[in-house]
Amino acid sequence: MHMEARKYVWEGAIPLQIHLHVSEVTTLPPPPPALILAPRIGYLPLLVGLIKPYFGSSLPPGVDTIWFEYKGLPLKWYIPTGVLFDLLCAEPERPWNLTVHFRGYPVHVLIPCEGEDSVKWSFINSLKEAAYIINGNCKNVMNMSQSDQVELWRSVMNGNLEAYLRVSSKLKLVTVEDDYTVKLNSSSKSQQGTGETDFAGQVKTGRIPVRLYVWSVSEDFDDLEDAPDIDCWDKISFINRPVEVHTEEGGKCFTLGDAIKTLLPEYFTDKPLFSDESPKLEDEEMNLSSEDAGSNKNTEVEEILYEHVTRNAEIKLVRIQGIEPKLEIPFSWVVNNLMNPDYFLYMCICVRVPEVNTV
């Protein structure tokens, strides 16, 4: 793991310009927007301690649960702030203009949030899910001492990478070895004449927790600023599925592009569509699940991806931690350096899917 890269991820922040919704302003003149630097790995509800005192004198009596919106779209509080930004701002907007509400919580769109405790347990549940994917069980997370659990959560809230690594190392959540490091080590052993088998001649597997947000568009665009806005969550397909990494014989790297093809097979098939030989894509095989911040229950399956199945789809954008990496980069490097503290790799992808004319 490259500590320098991990450090950049943990220090990453997004400048926010937060406006109090006009319907909740009770003073004249209205308060100016609050300017806040929000950690990428953090969550919007954790900013309440800064925002509420700032707007407190302008709020109406009887404050409700805080929530945020961007261009009229309520923001899901359990998605990391950096992921929300990468997903909703194809052309990065700095500062990111958000609107904060203290009333009228949209229960039809957002699950309830009771403040920091809700965010904490959402994070812990994600960690349990990741542990189960990696090790086949989540015993190490379940058996964490109360002090370790508190220290782990505080390290995420405070952006303290050193404290996080100290506690998370006890969980023994090893994802997959970096292909570059493996090759260097195997080459060194070969030169030393130890007689050990070169790793490049073996097959290595690993299960990687991945959360993929796919935004499908039918129209083409050359510049990101021309990309259509996302005005409702129904336009986003959420895929919560592990990727099994194979280091193939001959030392061929499993790339980011390989991982995306594994996650989105309906966009990358070499066989003719709708032929007798073409295998049918079953929902169970795709393992698509809706998001659930408070538990590991799968309540809904979004099937937007299946509406226009075509191999003529074009990837317009892949963004991870604010970076737009090349598809040829080893997936192991991406995982080890760009995953979030809950051990999930979050990827935001925009795919252009030409409309299919059906007879």
Side-chain angles (χ1 to χ4, degrees):
M1 183 181 295
H2 298 89
M3 288 305 301
E4 185 175 0
R6 291 299 302 277
K7 186 178 179 182
Y8 275 119
V9 168
W10 275 67
E11 293 179 349
I14 299 168
L16 304 181
Q17 185 166 262
I18 301 177
H19 307 258
L20 178 62
H21 193 269
V22 63
S23 67
E24 300 179 24
V25 175
T26 62
T27 59
L28 288 175
L35 299 175
I36 296 176
L37 202 57
R40 271 190 153 272
I41 63 171
Y43 302 84
L44 289 176
L46 300 182
L47 302 177
V48 172
L50 298 174
I51 296 174
K52 191 171 181 179
Y54 184 85
F55 291 120
S57 61
S58 300
L59 294 176
V63 176
D64 285 337
T65 305
I66 190 172
W67 59 284
F68 298 82
E69 69 166 79
Y70 175 60
K71 294 184 177 180
L73 178 68
L75 301 181
K76 296 185 176 183
W77 56 265
Y78 46 84
I79 299 178
T81 305
V83 179
L84 287 171
F85 182 71
D86 290 345
L87 178 64
L88 301 177
C89 294
E91 177 67 22
E93 175 184 312
R94 296 185 180 89
W96 191 20
N97 283 276
L98 302 182
T99 299
V100 63
H101 295 256
F102 289 85
R103 282 187 170 276
Y105 195 84
V107 293
H108 61 291
V109 179
L110 304 179
I111 63 175
C113 176
E114 303 299 330
E116 182 186 330
D117 280 347
S118 293
V119 182
K120 173 185 175 182
W121 290 116
S122 172
F123 171 82
I124 295 298
N125 283 331
S126 288
L127 193 62
K128 291 177 184 177
E129 185 179 347
Y132 187 86
I133 291 171
I134 296 170
N135 291 336
N137 66 75
C138 55
K139 293 180 180 178
N140 289 342
V141 179
M142 296 287 289
N143 295 332
M144 287 180 68
S145 67
Q146 185 65 27
S147 59
D148 280 349
Q149 190 177 109
V150 170
E151 185 177 1
L152 183 69
W153 174 239
R154 290 298 174 188
S155 71
V156 174
M157 285 190 62
N158 300 327
N160 188 335
L161 178 58
E162 183 178 347
Y164 169 81
L165 293 175
R166 183 170 59 251
V167 180
S168 64
S169 62
K170 300 178 183 179
L171 302 178
K172 297 179 171 57
L173 299 179
V174 179
T175 50
V176 65
E177 292 181 275
D178 191 330
D179 286 338
Y180 288 149
T181 303
V182 168
K183 286 184 177 181
L184 288 174
N185 291 341
S186 61
S187 175
S188 175
K189 291 179 181 179
S190 178
Q191 292 177 3
Q192 293 172 5
T194 59
E196 297 181 13
T197 303
D198 192 322
F199 182 85
Q202 302 176 358
V203 176
K204 180 74 174 179
T205 63
R207 286 168 58 82
I208 309 300
V210 175
R211 284 179 175 164
L212 182 68
Y213 294 88
V214 183
W215 166 35
S216 300
V217 298
S218 57
E219 59 270 44
D220 197 7
F221 56 88
D222 294 323
D223 297 321
L224 292 178
E225 61 183 14
D226 297 325
D229 291 334
I230 299 173
D231 53 13
C232 71
W233 286 104
D234 289 341
K235 294 183 178 180
I236 303 298
S237 293
F238 171 67
I239 299 175
N240 187 24
R241 179 191 178 192
V243 173
E244 190 161 318
V245 176
H246 296 270
T247 300
E248 302 174 1
E249 292 185 5
K252 180 183 177 182
C253 288
F254 184 83
T255 67
L256 174 60
D258 294 329
I260 293 175
K261 289 179 181 179
T262 299
L263 290 163
L264 302 175
E266 68 276 19
Y267 290 144
F268 303 98
T269 176
D270 295 327
K271 297 182 179 181
L273 293 178
F274 310 118
S275 68
D276 294 337
E277 293 80 12
S278 297
K280 295 181 180 179
L281 296 177
E282 300 292 342
D283 290 351
E284 291 80 8
E285 293 175 359
M286 284 298 298
N287 192 22
L288 294 184
S289 66
S290 68
E291 297 168 274
D292 188 341
S295 70
N296 291 327
K297 297 179 181 178
N298 295 326
T299 56
E300 295 181 12
V301 176
E302 298 187 23
E303 298 178 344
I304 297 174
L305 289 176
Y306 294 99
E307 294 180 359
H308 300 295
V309 180
T310 173
R311 64 174 175 175
N312 294 320
E314 175 190 3
I315 293 181
K316 303 296 293 187
L317 176 68
V318 176
R319 191 171 285 161
I320 307 171
Q321 296 289 6
I323 300 170
E324 297 172 21
K326 294 182 178 181
L327 299 183
E328 297 78 17
I329 191 170
F331 188 58
S332 57
W333 187 95
V334 175
V335 172
N336 286 319
N337 293 282
L338 302 182
M339 67 179 177
N340 269 58
D342 60 4
Y343 276 83
F344 270 91
L345 180 70
Y346 291 81
M347 297 196 290
C348 300
I349 299 180
C350 179
V351 181
R352 175 178 174 263
V353 184
E355 293 186 358
V356 178
N357 294 324
T358 57
V359 180

